[in-house]
Short mmCIF file of all heavy atoms in Angstrom, two decimals:
data_model
loop_
_atom_site.label_atom_id
_atom_site.label_comp_id
_atom_site.label_asym_id
_atom_site.label_seq_id
_atom_site.Cartn_x
_atom_site.Cartn_y
_atom_site.Cartn_z
N VAL A 13 -0.32 -33.20 -2.24
CA VAL A 13 -1.50 -32.33 -2.32
C VAL A 13 -1.12 -30.87 -2.14
O VAL A 13 -1.58 -29.99 -2.88
CB VAL A 13 -2.54 -32.75 -1.26
CG1 VAL A 13 -3.70 -31.77 -1.22
CG2 VAL A 13 -3.06 -34.16 -1.55
N ALA A 14 -0.25 -30.59 -1.16
CA ALA A 14 0.12 -29.20 -0.87
C ALA A 14 0.83 -28.54 -2.04
O ALA A 14 0.55 -27.38 -2.38
CB ALA A 14 1.00 -29.15 0.38
N ILE A 15 1.75 -29.26 -2.69
CA ILE A 15 2.48 -28.69 -3.83
C ILE A 15 1.55 -28.53 -5.02
O ILE A 15 1.62 -27.53 -5.75
CB ILE A 15 3.69 -29.56 -4.19
CG1 ILE A 15 4.77 -29.42 -3.12
CG2 ILE A 15 4.26 -29.15 -5.54
CD1 ILE A 15 5.34 -28.01 -2.98
N ALA A 16 0.65 -29.50 -5.24
CA ALA A 16 -0.31 -29.38 -6.34
C ALA A 16 -1.20 -28.15 -6.14
O ALA A 16 -1.48 -27.41 -7.09
CB ALA A 16 -1.15 -30.64 -6.43
N VAL A 17 -1.63 -27.92 -4.90
CA VAL A 17 -2.51 -26.78 -4.61
C VAL A 17 -1.77 -25.46 -4.75
O VAL A 17 -2.24 -24.52 -5.39
CB VAL A 17 -3.12 -26.91 -3.19
CG1 VAL A 17 -3.79 -25.61 -2.78
CG2 VAL A 17 -4.12 -28.06 -3.16
N VAL A 18 -0.58 -25.38 -4.15
CA VAL A 18 0.16 -24.11 -4.21
C VAL A 18 0.58 -23.81 -5.64
O VAL A 18 0.77 -22.63 -6.01
CB VAL A 18 1.38 -24.13 -3.26
CG1 VAL A 18 2.58 -24.78 -3.91
CG2 VAL A 18 1.73 -22.72 -2.80
N GLY A 19 0.70 -24.86 -6.47
CA GLY A 19 1.03 -24.64 -7.87
C GLY A 19 -0.02 -23.80 -8.59
O GLY A 19 0.30 -23.08 -9.54
N LEU A 20 -1.27 -23.88 -8.13
CA LEU A 20 -2.33 -23.09 -8.73
C LEU A 20 -2.13 -21.59 -8.48
O LEU A 20 -2.56 -20.75 -9.28
CB LEU A 20 -3.70 -23.51 -8.16
CG LEU A 20 -4.15 -24.94 -8.46
CD1 LEU A 20 -5.45 -25.24 -7.73
CD2 LEU A 20 -4.32 -25.15 -9.96
N PHE A 21 -1.48 -21.27 -7.36
CA PHE A 21 -1.30 -19.86 -6.98
C PHE A 21 0.17 -19.44 -7.02
O PHE A 21 0.51 -18.35 -6.57
CB PHE A 21 -1.83 -19.64 -5.55
CG PHE A 21 -3.20 -20.21 -5.31
CD1 PHE A 21 -3.39 -21.31 -4.48
CD2 PHE A 21 -4.31 -19.65 -5.92
CE1 PHE A 21 -4.65 -21.83 -4.25
CE2 PHE A 21 -5.58 -20.17 -5.71
CZ PHE A 21 -5.75 -21.26 -4.87
N ALA A 22 1.02 -20.32 -7.57
CA ALA A 22 2.46 -20.03 -7.54
C ALA A 22 2.80 -18.75 -8.26
O ALA A 22 3.73 -18.03 -7.85
CB ALA A 22 3.22 -21.21 -8.16
N ASP A 23 2.08 -18.43 -9.33
CA ASP A 23 2.37 -17.23 -10.09
C ASP A 23 2.31 -15.98 -9.21
O ASP A 23 3.11 -15.06 -9.36
CB ASP A 23 1.37 -17.09 -11.24
CG ASP A 23 2.07 -16.93 -12.58
OD1 ASP A 23 3.22 -17.40 -12.70
OD2 ASP A 23 1.50 -16.31 -13.48
N THR A 24 1.35 -15.97 -8.28
CA THR A 24 1.20 -14.82 -7.38
C THR A 24 2.40 -14.69 -6.46
O THR A 24 2.91 -13.58 -6.22
CB THR A 24 -0.08 -14.97 -6.55
OG1 THR A 24 -1.21 -15.09 -7.42
CG2 THR A 24 -0.28 -13.76 -5.64
N ILE A 25 2.87 -15.82 -5.92
CA ILE A 25 4.03 -15.80 -5.02
C ILE A 25 5.28 -15.36 -5.79
O ILE A 25 6.03 -14.49 -5.34
CB ILE A 25 4.27 -17.19 -4.40
CG1 ILE A 25 3.05 -17.63 -3.59
CG2 ILE A 25 5.51 -17.17 -3.51
CD1 ILE A 25 3.14 -19.06 -3.11
N VAL A 26 5.50 -15.97 -6.95
CA VAL A 26 6.69 -15.64 -7.75
C VAL A 26 6.67 -14.17 -8.14
O VAL A 26 7.69 -13.48 -8.05
CB VAL A 26 6.75 -16.54 -9.01
CG1 VAL A 26 7.94 -16.13 -9.88
CG2 VAL A 26 6.88 -18.01 -8.60
N ALA A 27 5.51 -13.66 -8.55
CA ALA A 27 5.40 -12.25 -8.93
C ALA A 27 5.69 -11.33 -7.75
O ALA A 27 6.33 -10.28 -7.91
CB ALA A 27 4.01 -11.97 -9.50
N ALA A 28 5.24 -11.72 -6.56
CA ALA A 28 5.48 -10.90 -5.36
C ALA A 28 6.97 -10.83 -5.04
O ALA A 28 7.50 -9.76 -4.71
CB ALA A 28 4.71 -11.47 -4.18
N VAL A 29 7.66 -11.97 -5.16
CA VAL A 29 9.11 -11.99 -4.90
C VAL A 29 9.84 -11.19 -5.97
O VAL A 29 10.77 -10.42 -5.67
CB VAL A 29 9.63 -13.44 -4.85
CG1 VAL A 29 11.15 -13.47 -4.72
CG2 VAL A 29 8.99 -14.19 -3.68
N GLU A 30 9.44 -11.36 -7.22
CA GLU A 30 10.10 -10.63 -8.31
C GLU A 30 9.85 -9.13 -8.19
O GLU A 30 10.75 -8.32 -8.48
CB GLU A 30 9.60 -11.14 -9.66
CG GLU A 30 10.09 -12.54 -9.97
CD GLU A 30 9.58 -13.08 -11.30
OE1 GLU A 30 8.59 -12.51 -11.82
OE2 GLU A 30 10.15 -14.07 -11.79
N ARG A 31 8.67 -8.75 -7.76
CA ARG A 31 8.35 -7.33 -7.62
C ARG A 31 9.26 -6.67 -6.59
O ARG A 31 9.69 -5.53 -6.77
CB ARG A 31 6.89 -7.18 -7.20
CG ARG A 31 6.38 -5.74 -7.18
CD ARG A 31 4.90 -5.69 -6.84
NE ARG A 31 4.12 -6.44 -7.83
CZ ARG A 31 3.46 -7.57 -7.57
NH1 ARG A 31 3.51 -8.11 -6.35
NH2 ARG A 31 2.79 -8.18 -8.52
N LYS A 32 9.58 -7.39 -5.54
CA LYS A 32 10.41 -6.82 -4.48
C LYS A 32 11.89 -6.93 -4.77
O LYS A 32 12.65 -5.99 -4.47
CB LYS A 32 10.09 -7.53 -3.16
CG LYS A 32 10.86 -6.97 -1.97
CD LYS A 32 10.39 -7.60 -0.66
CE LYS A 32 11.14 -7.00 0.53
NZ LYS A 32 10.66 -7.56 1.82
N HIS A 33 12.33 -8.06 -5.33
CA HIS A 33 13.77 -8.32 -5.45
C HIS A 33 14.30 -8.31 -6.89
O HIS A 33 15.49 -8.06 -7.09
CB HIS A 33 14.11 -9.67 -4.81
CG HIS A 33 13.83 -9.73 -3.35
ND1 HIS A 33 14.67 -9.19 -2.39
CD2 HIS A 33 12.77 -10.28 -2.66
CE1 HIS A 33 14.16 -9.40 -1.18
NE2 HIS A 33 13.02 -10.06 -1.32
N TYR A 34 13.44 -8.60 -7.87
CA TYR A 34 13.91 -8.73 -9.25
C TYR A 34 12.95 -8.00 -10.20
O TYR A 34 12.33 -8.64 -11.07
CB TYR A 34 14.02 -10.21 -9.64
CG TYR A 34 14.74 -11.05 -8.60
CD1 TYR A 34 14.01 -11.83 -7.69
CD2 TYR A 34 16.13 -11.04 -8.51
CE1 TYR A 34 14.66 -12.58 -6.72
CE2 TYR A 34 16.79 -11.80 -7.54
CZ TYR A 34 16.05 -12.56 -6.65
OH TYR A 34 16.69 -13.29 -5.68
N PRO A 35 12.79 -6.70 -10.04
CA PRO A 35 11.81 -5.96 -10.86
C PRO A 35 12.08 -6.03 -12.35
O PRO A 35 11.14 -6.00 -13.15
CB PRO A 35 11.93 -4.52 -10.33
CG PRO A 35 13.27 -4.46 -9.66
CD PRO A 35 13.51 -5.82 -9.10
N GLU A 36 13.36 -6.13 -12.74
CA GLU A 36 13.67 -6.21 -14.16
C GLU A 36 13.17 -7.53 -14.76
O GLU A 36 12.73 -7.59 -15.91
CB GLU A 36 15.18 -6.06 -14.40
CG GLU A 36 16.06 -7.21 -13.96
CD GLU A 36 16.22 -7.35 -12.44
OE1 GLU A 36 15.82 -6.42 -11.72
OE2 GLU A 36 16.76 -8.38 -12.00
N ALA A 37 13.19 -8.60 -13.96
CA ALA A 37 12.67 -9.89 -14.43
C ALA A 37 11.15 -9.87 -14.49
O ALA A 37 10.54 -10.45 -15.40
CB ALA A 37 13.15 -11.01 -13.51
N LEU A 38 10.52 -9.19 -13.53
CA LEU A 38 9.06 -9.10 -13.52
C LEU A 38 8.56 -8.41 -14.78
O LEU A 38 7.51 -8.78 -15.33
CB LEU A 38 8.60 -8.35 -12.28
CG LEU A 38 7.09 -8.14 -12.13
CD1 LEU A 38 6.37 -9.47 -11.99
CD2 LEU A 38 6.77 -7.24 -10.94
N ALA A 39 9.30 -7.42 -15.24
CA ALA A 39 8.87 -6.65 -16.41
C ALA A 39 8.79 -7.51 -17.66
O ALA A 39 7.97 -7.27 -18.55
CB ALA A 39 9.82 -5.48 -16.64
N SER A 40 9.64 -8.54 -17.76
CA SER A 40 9.66 -9.39 -18.95
C SER A 40 8.96 -10.73 -18.75
O SER A 40 8.92 -11.56 -19.67
CB SER A 40 11.11 -9.64 -19.38
OG SER A 40 11.82 -10.33 -18.35
N ALA A 41 8.41 -10.97 -17.54
CA ALA A 41 7.76 -12.26 -17.25
C ALA A 41 6.41 -12.34 -17.95
O ALA A 41 5.78 -11.32 -18.26
CB ALA A 41 7.59 -12.42 -15.75
N ARG A 42 5.97 -13.56 -18.17
CA ARG A 42 4.63 -13.77 -18.73
C ARG A 42 3.84 -14.64 -17.75
O ARG A 42 4.39 -15.58 -17.16
CB ARG A 42 4.70 -14.44 -20.10
CG ARG A 42 5.47 -15.74 -20.13
CD ARG A 42 5.52 -16.31 -21.55
NE ARG A 42 6.29 -17.54 -21.60
CZ ARG A 42 7.60 -17.59 -21.81
NH1 ARG A 42 8.27 -16.46 -21.98
NH2 ARG A 42 8.24 -18.76 -21.84
N ASP A 43 2.58 -14.31 -17.58
CA ASP A 43 1.73 -15.07 -16.66
C ASP A 43 1.55 -16.49 -17.16
O ASP A 43 1.45 -16.73 -18.37
CB ASP A 43 0.36 -14.40 -16.52
CG ASP A 43 0.45 -13.06 -15.81
OD1 ASP A 43 1.42 -12.85 -15.06
OD2 ASP A 43 -0.45 -12.22 -16.01
N VAL A 44 1.53 -17.43 -16.22
CA VAL A 44 1.30 -18.83 -16.57
C VAL A 44 -0.21 -19.09 -16.53
O VAL A 44 -0.85 -18.85 -15.50
CB VAL A 44 2.01 -19.78 -15.58
CG1 VAL A 44 1.74 -21.23 -15.94
CG2 VAL A 44 3.51 -19.50 -15.58
N PRO A 45 -0.81 -19.53 -17.64
CA PRO A 45 -2.26 -19.78 -17.65
C PRO A 45 -2.67 -20.78 -16.57
O PRO A 45 -1.89 -21.67 -16.20
CB PRO A 45 -2.51 -20.35 -19.05
CG PRO A 45 -1.35 -19.89 -19.88
CD PRO A 45 -0.18 -19.83 -18.93
N LEU A 46 -3.89 -20.62 -16.07
CA LEU A 46 -4.39 -21.50 -15.02
C LEU A 46 -4.35 -22.96 -15.45
O LEU A 46 -4.01 -23.84 -14.66
CB LEU A 46 -5.81 -21.11 -14.62
CG LEU A 46 -6.47 -21.94 -13.52
CD1 LEU A 46 -5.66 -21.86 -12.23
CD2 LEU A 46 -7.91 -21.49 -13.29
N ALA A 47 -4.69 -23.22 -16.71
CA ALA A 47 -4.71 -24.60 -17.19
C ALA A 47 -3.31 -25.22 -17.12
O ALA A 47 -3.15 -26.39 -16.75
CB ALA A 47 -5.22 -24.65 -18.63
N ARG A 48 -2.29 -24.44 -17.45
CA ARG A 48 -0.92 -24.96 -17.38
C ARG A 48 -0.49 -25.15 -15.93
O ARG A 48 0.17 -26.14 -15.61
CB ARG A 48 0.05 -24.01 -18.10
CG ARG A 48 1.45 -24.61 -18.21
CD ARG A 48 2.41 -23.70 -18.94
NE ARG A 48 3.72 -24.32 -19.07
CZ ARG A 48 4.80 -23.69 -19.51
NH1 ARG A 48 4.71 -22.41 -19.90
NH2 ARG A 48 5.95 -24.32 -19.59
N SER A 49 -0.88 -24.22 -15.06
CA SER A 49 -0.55 -24.36 -13.63
C SER A 49 -1.19 -25.62 -13.06
O SER A 49 -0.57 -26.36 -12.30
CB SER A 49 -1.05 -23.13 -12.85
OG SER A 49 -0.36 -21.97 -13.25
N LEU A 50 -2.45 -25.86 -13.45
CA LEU A 50 -3.15 -27.06 -12.98
C LEU A 50 -2.46 -28.31 -13.51
O LEU A 50 -2.28 -29.28 -12.76
CB LEU A 50 -4.61 -27.01 -13.44
CG LEU A 50 -5.49 -28.18 -13.01
CD1 LEU A 50 -5.57 -28.29 -11.50
CD2 LEU A 50 -6.89 -28.03 -13.61
N ARG A 51 -2.06 -28.28 -14.77
CA ARG A 51 -1.38 -29.43 -15.37
C ARG A 51 -0.06 -29.71 -14.67
O ARG A 51 0.28 -30.86 -14.38
CB ARG A 51 -1.17 -29.15 -16.85
CG ARG A 51 -0.82 -30.38 -17.68
CD ARG A 51 -1.04 -30.12 -19.17
NE ARG A 51 -0.26 -28.99 -19.65
CZ ARG A 51 -0.78 -27.85 -20.10
NH1 ARG A 51 -2.11 -27.69 -20.10
NH2 ARG A 51 -0.01 -26.87 -20.53
N MET A 52 0.69 -28.65 -14.38
CA MET A 52 1.98 -28.81 -13.70
C MET A 52 1.77 -29.33 -12.28
O MET A 52 2.52 -30.19 -11.80
CB MET A 52 2.73 -27.48 -13.69
CG MET A 52 3.24 -27.05 -15.05
SD MET A 52 3.86 -25.33 -15.09
CE MET A 52 5.22 -25.45 -13.91
N GLY A 53 0.75 -28.80 -11.57
CA GLY A 53 0.48 -29.23 -10.20
C GLY A 53 0.07 -30.70 -10.14
O GLY A 53 0.56 -31.46 -9.29
N LEU A 54 -0.82 -31.11 -11.05
CA LEU A 54 -1.24 -32.51 -11.07
C LEU A 54 -0.10 -33.42 -11.49
O LEU A 54 0.03 -34.54 -11.00
CB LEU A 54 -2.43 -32.67 -12.03
CG LEU A 54 -3.74 -32.02 -11.58
CD1 LEU A 54 -4.82 -32.17 -12.65
CD2 LEU A 54 -4.22 -32.61 -10.26
N GLY A 55 0.75 -32.93 -12.40
CA GLY A 55 1.93 -33.70 -12.81
C GLY A 55 2.87 -33.92 -11.65
O GLY A 55 3.43 -35.00 -11.48
N SER A 56 3.05 -32.86 -10.83
CA SER A 56 3.90 -32.97 -9.65
C SER A 56 3.36 -34.02 -8.68
O SER A 56 4.11 -34.88 -8.19
CB SER A 56 3.99 -31.61 -8.95
OG SER A 56 4.62 -31.71 -7.70
N ALA A 57 2.07 -33.94 -8.39
CA ALA A 57 1.46 -34.90 -7.48
C ALA A 57 1.53 -36.32 -8.03
O ALA A 57 1.83 -37.27 -7.31
CB ALA A 57 0.00 -34.52 -7.21
#
């Protein structure tokens, strides 16, 4: 349950880490749509 839930907000965490430590990667990253995040989280669970 915890991994499925955090998967919904994972983009925010990843972006925060990239903003601080990997700004060049953040510049080329693309946001993961909510539907895909939900699919990945439910798949994990």
Side-chain angles (χ1 to χ4, degrees):
V13 173
I15 289 297
V17 168
V18 84
L20 296 175
F21 311 111
D23 234 27
T24 302
I25 300 172
V26 176
V29 175
E30 290 178 343
R31 187 176 300 113
K32 182 174 182 178
H33 297 281
Y34 313 100
E36 71 288 348
L38 179 64
S40 62
R42 55 182 178 271
D43 292 337
V44 179
L46 180 60
R48 188 178 182 189
S49 295
L50 181 60
R51 196 163 58 246
M52 290 169 62
L54 292 176
S56 171

